[in-house]
Amino acid sequence: MNIGQIKQNDAGIFMGRISTLAVAMTIALKPVQSSNPRAPRYEIHALTPGRTWVQVGAFFELTSNNTSEAFLNGRIDDPSLAAPLQVSAFRQDDGSYNVVWQRAQKRRDVGAALGVKADDDLSPPFGADGGPVDNGPGPDAAATDTGLGETTAPVEEPVGKGRGRRQRVAEDA
């Protein structure tokens, strides 16, 4: 989502405006002079209501894997913001930059995606005394011995050829 634009003024300074429902700020980019290849390309400074400039972030120069075009990527953060703004700036034909915003992606829980259950869902292959579990006779026996005796709950039986759906079947008394 495009949230602003940065243009170079007559003095050669990149200045612009970022506007969202909650944020409206004038920004300026200050070039970073460093021989470190990991240093940011620009510091992002914002104009305060008191007409002073404060650093609120940095832009790093990256290259697109798909198009090999260079773009700026960084974040703007300040105690007055609920969360940092993840922003990128893409150079336009006229030399200006369009500033776009992207919500930070939540990391996926790989275990949940693979269907791995939590440790407390696992039943050990042994009973409380350390010996093997006696599953009792027949296929209707409980999968593990909890030491609580036999269950009176209805047993679920597979129904049809569906997706493993099960239906409760009442037991005969």
Side-chain angles (χ1 to χ4, degrees), residues 8 19 35 78 95 104 110 127 139 146:
Q8 198 168 21
S19 299
S35 60
D78 182 75
V110 176
T146 62

Side-chain angles (χ1 to χ4, degrees), residues 122-137:
L122 300 175
S123 298
F126 53 85
D129 62 356
V133 174
D134 179 13
N135 289 333

Side-chain angles (χ1 to χ4, degrees), residues 18-58:
I18 292 178
S19 299
T20 70
L21 285 176
V23 174
M25 66 175 69
T26 300
I27 61 169
L29 303 183
K30 179 182 175 186
V32 173
Q33 305 298 326
S34 175
S35 60
N36 184 345
R38 292 184 169 196
R41 172 95 166 137
Y42 295 101
E43 292 177 352
I44 304 170
H45 292 261
L47 186 62
T48 68
R51 310 291 294 164
T52 60
W53 292 95
V54 294
Q55 184 176 352
V56 293

Side-chain angles (χ1 to χ4, degrees), residues 95-112:
S96 67
Y97 287 93
N98 280 345
V99 180
V100 297
W101 167 80
Q102 180 178 342
R103 185 177 305 277
Q105 300 293 316
K106 293 182 180 178
R107 293 183 182 210
R108 290 180 32 185
D109 180 3
V110 176

Side-chain angles (χ1 to χ4, degrees), residues 41 60-65 67-73 89-92 97:
R41 172 95 166 137
F60 293 83
E61 190 168 52
L62 301 177
T63 304
S64 168
N65 290 337
T67 64
S68 298
E69 291 183 72
F71 66 97
L72 302 175
N73 190 52
F90 296 94
R91 192 168 195 110
Q92 303 303 299
Y97 287 93

